[in-house]
Amino acid sequence: HLSMTRRVAFMKKGIVILYLISVMVFFVTPALFASQDIGVNNRILTKVNGKTITVMDIADKMDVIFSREFPEHTDSLESRYQFYMANWQYILRDMVDKELVLSDALDKKIVISDGDIREELEDMFGSNAIEAVSQLGMTYNEAWSMIHEDIMVRRMMLYAVHSKAMNKTSPQDLRRAFEGYLLDNPQNDEWTYRVLSIRDSNNGKAIANATIANILLTEEGVSFEELSSELSSRGLIEDSTEVKVSAEFHHSDNMLSSSYKEALISLSPGEYSEPIKHQKGGDHSPVYRIFFLKEHVVAEPIIFSDIEEGLKNHLYNAAIAEETELYMASLMKRYGFNEDRFLAGIPKNFEPFIL
Protein backbone atom coordinates (compact mmCIF):
# COMPACT_ATOMS: atom_id res chain seq x y z
CA HIS A 1 0.00 0.00 0.00
CA LEU A 2 2.87 2.38 0.77
CA SER A 3 4.88 3.29 -2.28
CA MET A 4 7.48 5.84 -3.36
CA THR A 5 9.13 8.28 -0.97
CA ARG A 6 9.70 11.96 -0.40
CA ARG A 7 11.82 14.06 2.00
CA VAL A 8 10.93 16.92 4.30
CA ALA A 9 12.69 20.15 5.33
CA PHE A 10 12.18 22.88 7.88
CA MET A 11 8.89 24.60 7.12
CA LYS A 12 9.12 28.37 7.12
CA LYS A 13 6.39 30.01 9.17
CA GLY A 14 3.32 31.28 7.38
CA ILE A 15 3.82 29.82 3.90
CA VAL A 16 0.72 30.13 1.77
CA ILE A 17 0.13 28.10 -1.37
CA LEU A 18 -1.17 30.63 -3.86
CA TYR A 19 -3.67 30.17 -6.63
CA LEU A 20 -0.91 28.82 -8.84
CA ILE A 21 -2.71 28.83 -12.17
CA SER A 22 -2.37 32.60 -12.38
CA VAL A 23 1.36 32.74 -11.65
CA MET A 24 4.53 31.15 -12.96
CA VAL A 25 5.39 27.53 -12.22
CA PHE A 26 7.42 26.92 -9.07
CA PHE A 27 10.85 25.86 -10.33
CA VAL A 28 14.37 26.65 -9.16
CA THR A 29 17.71 24.93 -9.31
CA PRO A 30 17.02 21.92 -7.10
CA ALA A 31 18.97 20.38 -4.25
CA LEU A 32 19.61 16.67 -3.69
CA PHE A 33 17.01 14.76 -1.71
CA ALA A 34 17.79 13.14 1.62
CA SER A 35 18.14 9.37 1.84
CA GLN A 36 15.34 8.92 4.38
CA ASP A 37 11.85 8.28 3.09
CA ILE A 38 8.26 9.37 3.49
CA GLY A 39 5.66 6.80 2.53
CA VAL A 40 3.08 7.84 -0.06
CA ASN A 41 -0.32 6.19 0.30
CA ASN A 42 -0.92 6.36 -3.43
CA ARG A 43 -4.44 6.32 -4.84
CA ILE A 44 -6.60 8.16 -7.34
CA LEU A 45 -7.96 11.29 -5.70
CA THR A 46 -10.13 12.70 -8.48
CA LYS A 47 -10.67 12.80 -12.25
CA VAL A 48 -10.82 15.93 -14.37
CA ASN A 49 -12.04 15.69 -17.94
CA GLY A 50 -10.91 12.08 -18.13
CA LYS A 51 -7.50 12.63 -16.50
CA THR A 52 -6.79 11.12 -13.09
CA ILE A 53 -4.90 12.93 -10.32
CA THR A 54 -3.14 10.71 -7.78
CA VAL A 55 -1.32 11.24 -4.51
CA MET A 56 1.93 10.65 -6.40
CA ASP A 57 1.11 13.51 -8.76
CA ILE A 58 0.65 15.80 -5.77
CA ALA A 59 3.88 14.59 -4.16
CA ASP A 60 5.81 15.34 -7.37
CA LYS A 61 4.36 18.84 -7.48
CA MET A 62 5.13 19.50 -3.81
CA ASP A 63 8.71 18.27 -4.28
CA VAL A 64 9.24 21.08 -6.78
CA ILE A 65 7.61 23.69 -4.56
CA PHE A 66 9.44 22.55 -1.43
CA SER A 67 12.81 22.53 -3.19
CA ARG A 68 12.17 26.07 -4.39
CA GLU A 69 10.99 27.49 -1.06
CA PHE A 70 13.34 25.64 1.33
CA PRO A 71 16.49 24.58 -0.52
CA GLU A 72 18.61 25.08 2.61
CA HIS A 73 16.56 22.57 4.65
CA THR A 74 16.26 19.60 2.35
CA ASP A 75 17.57 17.11 4.93
CA SER A 76 14.73 17.52 7.45
CA LEU A 77 12.35 14.61 6.97
CA GLU A 78 9.84 15.77 9.58
CA SER A 79 9.53 19.27 8.13
CA ARG A 80 8.91 17.99 4.62
CA TYR A 81 6.23 15.71 6.03
CA GLN A 82 4.59 18.67 7.82
CA PHE A 83 4.72 20.66 4.57
CA TYR A 84 3.05 17.82 2.68
CA MET A 85 0.26 17.36 5.22
CA ALA A 86 -0.46 21.09 5.50
CA ASN A 87 -0.63 21.76 1.76
CA TRP A 88 -1.64 18.68 -0.19
CA GLN A 89 -5.29 19.70 -0.54
CA TYR A 90 -4.30 23.17 -1.79
CA ILE A 91 -2.06 21.55 -4.40
CA LEU A 92 -4.87 19.17 -5.40
CA ARG A 93 -7.19 22.15 -5.89
CA ASP A 94 -4.54 23.85 -8.02
CA MET A 95 -4.00 20.74 -10.13
CA VAL A 96 -7.73 20.40 -10.76
CA ASP A 97 -7.92 24.02 -11.89
CA LYS A 98 -4.87 23.56 -14.08
CA GLU A 99 -6.38 20.53 -15.86
CA LEU A 100 -9.56 22.46 -16.54
CA VAL A 101 -7.61 25.36 -18.04
CA LEU A 102 -5.48 22.96 -20.08
CA SER A 103 -8.62 21.37 -21.49
CA ASP A 104 -9.80 24.80 -22.56
CA ALA A 105 -6.40 25.58 -24.10
CA LEU A 106 -6.44 22.36 -26.10
CA ASP A 107 -9.98 23.05 -27.30
CA LYS A 108 -8.86 26.47 -28.45
CA LYS A 109 -5.76 24.95 -30.10
CA ILE A 110 -3.24 27.09 -28.24
CA VAL A 111 0.22 26.41 -29.72
CA ILE A 112 3.48 26.78 -27.74
CA SER A 113 6.74 26.82 -29.67
CA ASP A 114 9.69 24.63 -28.75
CA GLY A 115 11.78 27.80 -28.49
CA ASP A 116 9.53 29.21 -25.75
CA ILE A 117 9.74 25.97 -23.78
CA ARG A 118 13.52 25.68 -24.19
CA GLU A 119 14.05 29.28 -23.09
CA GLU A 120 12.01 28.79 -19.94
CA LEU A 121 13.81 25.52 -19.15
CA GLU A 122 17.15 27.33 -19.28
CA ASP A 123 15.83 30.24 -17.21
CA MET A 124 14.64 27.88 -14.49
CA PHE A 125 17.32 25.21 -14.44
CA GLY A 126 20.34 26.83 -16.04
CA SER A 127 22.33 25.61 -19.01
CA ASN A 128 22.63 22.05 -17.63
CA ALA A 129 18.87 21.47 -17.35
CA ILE A 130 19.06 17.69 -17.85
CA GLU A 131 21.20 17.17 -14.74
CA ALA A 132 19.19 19.71 -12.73
CA VAL A 133 15.80 18.09 -13.39
CA SER A 134 17.21 14.63 -12.70
CA GLN A 135 18.05 15.76 -9.18
CA LEU A 136 14.31 16.35 -8.71
CA GLY A 137 13.59 12.78 -9.72
CA MET A 138 12.23 13.89 -13.12
CA THR A 139 13.24 13.14 -16.67
CA TYR A 140 13.98 15.91 -19.14
CA ASN A 141 10.85 14.99 -21.09
CA GLU A 142 8.72 15.26 -17.95
CA ALA A 143 10.14 18.71 -17.20
CA TRP A 144 9.56 19.72 -20.83
CA SER A 145 5.94 18.58 -20.59
CA MET A 146 5.34 20.38 -17.30
CA ILE A 147 6.73 23.66 -18.64
CA HIS A 148 4.74 23.28 -21.84
CA GLU A 149 1.56 22.90 -19.80
CA ASP A 150 2.41 25.80 -17.51
CA ILE A 151 2.99 28.14 -20.46
CA MET A 152 -0.35 27.06 -21.92
CA VAL A 153 -2.08 27.78 -18.61
CA ARG A 154 -0.49 31.22 -18.30
CA ARG A 155 -1.50 32.18 -21.82
CA MET A 156 -5.06 30.99 -21.28
CA MET A 157 -5.23 32.98 -18.05
CA LEU A 158 -3.96 36.07 -19.88
CA TYR A 159 -6.60 35.59 -22.53
CA ALA A 160 -9.56 34.57 -20.36
CA VAL A 161 -8.87 36.51 -17.13
CA HIS A 162 -6.18 39.18 -17.23
CA SER A 163 -7.29 40.84 -20.45
CA LYS A 164 -10.82 41.20 -19.09
CA ALA A 165 -9.57 42.43 -15.72
CA MET A 166 -7.49 45.14 -17.40
CA ASN A 167 -10.59 46.58 -19.07
CA LYS A 168 -12.78 46.33 -16.00
CA THR A 169 -11.55 49.34 -14.00
CA SER A 170 -12.98 52.72 -14.99
CA PRO A 171 -11.83 56.22 -13.90
CA GLN A 172 -14.96 56.33 -11.73
CA ASP A 173 -13.88 53.11 -9.99
CA LEU A 174 -10.48 54.65 -9.33
CA ARG A 175 -12.02 57.82 -7.91
CA ARG A 176 -14.31 55.80 -5.61
CA ALA A 177 -11.32 53.75 -4.46
CA PHE A 178 -9.46 56.97 -3.61
CA GLU A 179 -12.43 58.31 -1.67
CA GLY A 180 -12.68 55.03 0.22
CA TYR A 181 -8.95 55.17 0.99
CA LEU A 182 -9.33 58.65 2.46
CA LEU A 183 -12.16 57.44 4.69
CA ASP A 184 -10.15 54.43 5.87
CA ASN A 185 -6.95 56.44 6.38
CA PRO A 186 -7.88 59.80 7.87
CA GLN A 187 -5.00 62.22 8.30
CA ASN A 188 -4.91 63.62 11.84
CA ASP A 189 -3.38 66.91 12.97
CA GLU A 190 -1.14 66.72 16.05
CA TRP A 191 -1.72 69.05 19.03
CA THR A 192 0.57 69.82 21.96
CA TYR A 193 -1.22 71.76 24.70
CA ARG A 194 -1.91 72.34 28.41
CA VAL A 195 -5.12 73.10 30.28
CA LEU A 196 -5.81 75.28 33.32
CA SER A 197 -8.99 74.29 35.18
CA ILE A 198 -10.63 76.53 37.79
CA ARG A 199 -13.52 75.14 39.78
CA ASP A 200 -15.69 76.82 42.43
CA SER A 201 -19.10 76.00 43.90
CA ASN A 202 -19.92 79.68 43.42
CA ASN A 203 -20.22 80.33 39.69
CA GLY A 204 -19.54 84.05 40.11
CA LYS A 205 -16.25 83.39 41.90
CA ALA A 206 -15.27 80.73 39.35
CA ILE A 207 -15.70 83.06 36.35
CA ALA A 208 -14.03 85.97 38.21
CA ASN A 209 -10.97 83.87 39.04
CA ALA A 210 -10.81 82.47 35.50
CA THR A 211 -10.94 86.01 34.05
CA ILE A 212 -8.16 87.23 36.37
CA ALA A 213 -6.11 84.11 35.59
CA ASN A 214 -6.40 84.85 31.87
CA ILE A 215 -5.18 88.43 32.42
CA LEU A 216 -2.22 87.21 34.49
CA LEU A 217 -1.27 84.69 31.78
CA THR A 218 -1.71 86.88 28.72
CA GLU A 219 -0.80 90.38 29.99
CA GLU A 220 1.46 89.93 33.01
CA GLY A 221 3.44 86.91 31.84
CA VAL A 222 2.65 84.69 34.82
CA SER A 223 3.36 81.05 34.04
CA PHE A 224 0.98 78.15 34.63
CA GLU A 225 3.19 76.91 37.46
CA GLU A 226 3.10 80.31 39.23
CA LEU A 227 -0.59 80.99 38.71
CA SER A 228 -2.05 79.27 41.78
CA SER A 229 0.31 81.02 44.21
CA GLU A 230 -0.26 84.35 42.43
CA LEU A 231 -4.02 84.03 42.84
CA SER A 232 -3.52 83.07 46.50
CA SER A 233 -1.31 86.09 47.15
CA ARG A 234 -4.13 88.28 45.91
CA GLY A 235 -6.60 86.63 48.24
CA LEU A 236 -8.62 85.07 45.46
CA ILE A 237 -8.28 81.40 46.46
CA GLU A 238 -10.86 80.25 49.00
CA ASP A 239 -11.70 76.84 50.42
CA SER A 240 -14.28 76.35 47.68
CA THR A 241 -11.78 77.18 44.90
CA GLU A 242 -9.72 74.56 43.08
CA VAL A 243 -7.01 75.44 40.56
CA LYS A 244 -5.38 72.66 38.52
CA VAL A 245 -2.76 72.83 35.78
CA SER A 246 -2.41 69.81 33.51
CA ALA A 247 0.77 68.21 32.29
CA GLU A 248 1.66 68.77 28.66
CA PHE A 249 -0.60 66.72 26.38
CA HIS A 250 0.29 65.50 22.90
CA HIS A 251 -2.81 64.28 21.06
CA SER A 252 -3.92 63.71 17.50
CA ASP A 253 -7.31 64.79 16.16
CA ASN A 254 -8.92 61.42 16.76
CA MET A 255 -7.96 61.54 20.45
CA LEU A 256 -9.46 64.97 21.14
CA SER A 257 -12.99 65.49 22.37
CA SER A 258 -15.13 67.81 20.27
CA SER A 259 -15.06 70.50 22.99
CA TYR A 260 -11.25 70.40 23.28
CA LYS A 261 -10.87 70.45 19.50
CA GLU A 262 -13.16 73.46 19.25
CA ALA A 263 -11.12 75.33 21.86
CA LEU A 264 -7.73 74.52 20.32
CA ILE A 265 -8.57 75.07 16.67
CA SER A 266 -9.10 78.82 17.21
CA LEU A 267 -5.60 79.26 18.72
CA SER A 268 -2.19 79.80 17.18
CA PRO A 269 0.87 78.26 18.84
CA GLY A 270 1.83 80.25 21.95
CA GLU A 271 -1.69 81.58 22.55
CA TYR A 272 -4.10 81.17 25.49
CA SER A 273 -7.83 80.77 25.04
CA GLU A 274 -10.45 82.83 26.81
CA PRO A 275 -11.99 81.08 29.84
CA ILE A 276 -14.39 78.43 28.55
CA LYS A 277 -17.15 77.01 30.70
CA HIS A 278 -17.31 73.24 30.48
CA GLN A 279 -19.65 70.65 31.88
CA LYS A 280 -19.93 70.57 35.65
CA GLY A 281 -17.83 68.24 37.73
CA GLY A 282 -19.01 65.38 39.89
CA ASP A 283 -19.97 67.79 42.68
CA HIS A 284 -21.95 69.92 40.18
CA SER A 285 -19.63 72.90 40.61
CA PRO A 286 -18.88 74.91 37.44
CA VAL A 287 -15.50 74.42 35.72
CA TYR A 288 -13.74 77.04 33.59
CA ARG A 289 -10.79 76.03 31.43
CA ILE A 290 -8.06 78.05 29.76
CA PHE A 291 -6.17 76.26 26.98
CA PHE A 292 -2.58 76.96 26.02
CA LEU A 293 -1.53 75.72 22.57
CA LYS A 294 2.18 74.97 22.36
CA GLU A 295 2.30 73.37 18.92
CA HIS A 296 -0.05 72.39 16.09
CA VAL A 297 1.29 70.13 13.34
CA VAL A 298 -1.04 70.05 10.36
CA ALA A 299 -1.29 66.63 8.69
CA GLU A 300 0.00 66.36 5.15
CA PRO A 301 -2.89 65.73 2.75
CA ILE A 302 -2.96 62.48 0.79
CA ILE A 303 -2.15 63.25 -2.83
CA PHE A 304 -3.99 61.15 -5.40
CA SER A 305 -0.94 60.79 -7.65
CA ASP A 306 1.09 59.38 -4.74
CA ILE A 307 -1.20 56.37 -4.31
CA GLU A 308 -2.73 56.12 -7.78
CA GLU A 309 -0.56 53.18 -8.87
CA GLY A 310 -1.29 51.25 -5.68
CA LEU A 311 -5.02 51.82 -6.09
CA LYS A 312 -4.87 50.63 -9.69
CA ASN A 313 -3.04 47.47 -8.63
CA HIS A 314 -5.57 46.83 -5.89
CA LEU A 315 -8.50 47.19 -8.29
CA TYR A 316 -6.74 45.09 -10.93
CA ASN A 317 -6.03 42.27 -8.46
CA ALA A 318 -9.64 42.36 -7.26
CA ALA A 319 -10.81 42.16 -10.89
CA ILE A 320 -8.46 39.23 -11.54
CA ALA A 321 -9.87 37.37 -8.54
CA GLU A 322 -13.42 37.99 -9.71
CA GLU A 323 -12.73 37.03 -13.33
CA THR A 324 -10.79 33.93 -12.22
CA GLU A 325 -13.75 32.74 -10.17
CA LEU A 326 -16.12 33.29 -13.08
CA TYR A 327 -13.78 31.57 -15.53
CA MET A 328 -13.24 28.51 -13.33
CA ALA A 329 -16.96 28.19 -12.69
CA SER A 330 -17.61 28.23 -16.44
CA LEU A 331 -14.95 25.55 -17.02
CA MET A 332 -16.40 23.30 -14.32
CA LYS A 333 -19.81 23.58 -15.92
CA ARG A 334 -18.47 22.98 -19.43
CA TYR A 335 -16.41 19.92 -18.51
CA GLY A 336 -18.87 18.49 -16.01
CA PHE A 337 -16.68 18.80 -12.91
CA ASN A 338 -18.96 19.01 -9.89
CA GLU A 339 -17.51 21.12 -7.08
CA ASP A 340 -19.64 19.26 -4.50
CA ARG A 341 -17.92 16.00 -5.42
CA PHE A 342 -14.43 17.50 -5.44
CA LEU A 343 -13.21 15.53 -2.39
CA ALA A 344 -16.17 13.18 -2.08
CA GLY A 345 -14.14 10.13 -3.12
CA ILE A 346 -11.45 10.69 -0.50
CA PRO A 347 -12.00 9.01 2.89
CA LYS A 348 -12.62 11.48 5.71
CA ASN A 349 -9.53 10.55 7.73
CA PHE A 350 -7.34 9.77 4.73
CA GLU A 351 -3.62 10.27 5.33
CA PRO A 352 -1.79 10.47 1.99
CA PHE A 353 1.67 10.56 3.57
CA ILE A 354 3.19 8.41 6.29
CA LEU A 355 6.26 9.41 8.24
Side-chain angles (χ1 to χ4, degrees), residues 1 4 26 64 83 102 111 114 118 172 208 295 326 349:
H1 297 285
M4 304 297 292
F26 287 91
V64 175
F83 177 82
L102 280 173
V111 176
D114 289 352
R118 190 176 296 108
Q172 292 77 17
E295 185 180 24
L326 292 172
N349 297 319

Side-chain angles (χ1 to χ4, degrees), residues 102-272:
L102 280 173
S103 296
D104 193 25
L106 291 172
D107 287 348
K108 289 181 170 58
K109 296 181 172 52
I110 301 297
V111 176
I112 308 299
S113 71
D114 289 352
D116 289 341
I117 300 173
R118 190 176 296 108
E119 181 180 350
E120 192 152 320
L121 267 171
E122 292 179 359
D123 288 343
M124 293 176 180
F125 294 106
S127 57
N128 194 359
I130 295 177
E131 180 180 348
V133 298
S134 69
Q135 292 178 3
L136 280 175
M138 300 170 61
T139 66
Y140 185 78
N141 287 339
E142 287 172 337
W144 182 282
S145 177
M146 287 182 67
I147 289 178
H148 176 248
E149 291 179 351
D150 284 322
I151 295 175
M152 289 182 71
V153 168
R154 291 202 302 273
R155 291 192 181 175
M156 278 305 305
M157 294 300 291
L158 284 171
Y159 167 76
V161 173
H162 292 254
S163 60
K164 294 180 180 179
M166 288 178 66
N167 298 321
K168 202 165 188 176
T169 301
S170 67
Q172 292 77 17
D173 293 329
L174 194 58
R175 176 56 57 183
R176 283 192 290 269
F178 179 60
E179 292 170 354
Y181 184 89
L182 294 180
L183 289 175
D184 293 338
N185 300 273
Q187 301 300 288
N188 293 303
D189 289 5
E190 300 290 330
W191 306 84
T192 304
Y193 65 99
R194 299 180 74 181
V195 184
L196 169 68
S197 300
I198 297 179
R199 184 193 309 269
D200 199 297
S201 57
N202 185 308
N203 184 64
K205 291 181 180 178
I207 185 58
N209 284 334
T211 301
I212 295 171
N214 184 259
I215 293 171
L216 292 174
L217 292 168
T218 59
E219 297 181 14
E220 299 188 22
V222 176
S223 68
F224 266 170
E225 285 72 21
E226 300 168 330
L227 188 61
S228 182
S229 60
E230 185 66 27
L231 290 172
S232 295
S233 68
R234 300 186 182 208
L236 299 173
I237 301 295
E238 300 181 2
D239 292 340
S240 60
T241 306
E242 182 181 26
V243 179
K244 285 187 177 180
V245 177
S246 74
E248 186 172 280
F249 294 124
H250 183 79
H251 291 152
S252 55
D253 278 340
N254 59 345
M255 298 176 65
L256 289 174
S257 67
S258 58
S259 60
Y260 273 39
K261 176 74 175 292
E262 185 179 355
L264 291 170
I265 203 167
S266 62
L267 301 177
S268 297
E271 288 185 344
Y272 294 91

Side-chain angles (χ1 to χ4, degrees), residues 259-298:
S259 60
Y260 273 39
K261 176 74 175 292
E262 185 179 355
L264 291 170
I265 203 167
S266 62
L267 301 177
S268 297
E271 288 185 344
Y272 294 91
S273 72
E274 294 292 326
I276 301 171
K277 187 176 182 179
H278 281 252
Q279 62 188 28
K280 295 182 178 180
D283 59 356
H284 302 292
S285 56
V287 179
Y288 288 85
R289 293 194 173 105
I290 297 174
F291 292 82
F292 172 72
L293 179 61
K294 180 179 180 180
E295 185 180 24
H296 176 203
V297 179
V298 179

Side-chain angles (χ1 to χ4, degrees), residues 19 21 47-51 53 93-107 153 156-157 327-339 342:
Y19 210 67
I21 60 173
K47 284 187 177 183
V48 185
N49 202 26
K51 181 171 181 177
I53 298 177
R93 172 76 266 181
D94 170 65
M95 294 179 74
V96 167
D97 291 344
K98 181 177 178 179
E99 290 303 325
L100 291 170
V101 176
L102 280 173
S103 296
D104 193 25
L106 291 172
D107 287 348
V153 168
M156 278 305 305
M157 294 300 291
Y327 178 53
M328 296 313 304
S330 70
L331 293 182
M332 287 183 184
K333 183 177 181 180
R334 186 194 313 172
Y335 295 110
F337 189 84
N338 192 328
E339 181 74 30
F342 176 51

